[in-house]
Amino acid sequence: MILNNLSNQFVVQFPKNFFYPEIHARWTPIVKRLKLPYESIEDFINASVQNITFPSVELPVVEQQQAQYKIAYRGGKELEPVLDKNLTITFKLSEGFISYWILFEQIEKFVEYSDRVPFWPPMFVSFLDHHGFELVEFTFSKLIPTSLSQFEISYATTAAEFNTFSMNIRYNRYTIKRKTTDSQGL
């Protein structure tokens, strides 16, 4: 019997010190006030991740005429230069819209004129097997935020709903760690 994939067998991790010091100073007391089991802003945001959308892999081909037939060959580039390097991450819209405002302020600090590093620190996405063992880990580095979605608020909405928002990120480089050796007891 071949098992189906579980679409929730992944972990997105914004590592320690991903957010600017100003964000930590402003939002840590607010997150602590929620009495939730998060040690940092990064933990809070990691826990609010709902899904991530990877773009498809579109490989260019080169065609050449051979008599009356066109023959297609692989393109002349390796995989990384031809990938669409955009990720869409969907987050849960938390109480008081805290998750949104943390990311909004992070983007605000990113685009203000200053001597900051022109990229965000790396983020990690791990894919797990059905036992919870990590199989593949992507490290996306030199991140640039490209958009933060809208959300709707209304006085007419009185029922508690599960709301989300999304952020688009462009990465410039990636590395893959494949952890499929028998050292993990697989």
Side-chain angles (χ1 to χ4, degrees):
M1 180 170 118
I2 298 175
L3 298 174
N4 287 335
N5 74 307
L6 295 174
S7 295
N8 62 354
Q9 293 293 93
F10 71 98
V11 175
V12 176
Q13 182 184 14
F14 295 97
K16 184 178 180 182
N17 297 324
F18 181 85
F19 292 98
Y20 297 124
E22 302 94 329
I23 307 298
H24 277 279
R26 182 180 332 280
W27 292 100
T28 297
I30 294 166
V31 170
K32 294 285 186 194
R33 197 168 56 204
L34 296 173
K35 304 287 188 216
L36 297 171
Y38 304 120
E39 293 183 18
S40 66
I41 300 298
E42 287 83 5
D43 286 346
F44 179 72
I45 294 297
N46 289 336
S48 69
V49 171
Q50 297 301 298
N51 67 48
I52 184 167
T53 304
F54 280 80
S56 64
V57 176
E58 303 288 334
L59 300 175
V61 296
V62 177
E63 290 186 344
Q64 183 176 11
Q65 193 74 28
Q66 288 186 353
Q68 63 182 353
Y69 304 104
K70 285 188 176 181
I71 304 297
Y73 296 93
R74 68 179 179 202
K77 294 184 179 180
E78 291 185 4
L79 186 59
E80 186 175 356
V82 299
L83 289 178
D84 176 3
K85 295 183 178 181
N86 294 295
L87 302 173
T88 302
I89 305 170
T90 303
F91 298 90
K92 179 180 179 184
L93 197 56
S94 60
E95 178 183 333
F97 309 97
I98 295 170
S99 52
Y100 184 88
W101 295 121
I102 289 171
L103 290 166
F104 181 89
E105 190 170 347
Q106 177 80 357
I107 290 171
E108 184 180 38
K109 296 291 180 195
F110 176 78
V111 297
E112 80 182 13
Y113 294 112
S114 69
D115 59 350
R116 292 189 199 279
V117 176
F119 304 106
W120 280 355
M123 66 174 272
F124 306 93
V125 178
S126 296
F127 294 90
L128 313 174
D129 69 7
H130 66 286
H131 295 294
F133 290 109
E134 186 177 49
L135 296 174
V136 178
E137 177 192 74
F138 278 82
T139 302
F140 297 105
S141 51
K142 298 191 177 197
L143 303 176
I144 297 175
T146 58
S147 70
L148 191 62
S149 73
Q150 66 184 21
F151 66 90
E152 185 176 322
I153 55 177
S154 170
Y155 285 118
T157 304
T158 57
E161 292 181 357
F162 186 84
N163 294 317
T164 61
F165 68 96
S166 60
M167 178 174 63
N168 291 318
I169 293 179
R170 178 168 173 85
Y171 63 92
N172 284 293
R173 298 303 309 265
Y174 74 90
T175 56
I176 303 173
K177 291 182 187 172
R178 293 172 177 91
K179 301 180 178 185
T180 54
T181 62
D182 199 33
S183 64
Q184 293 180 339
L186 298 175

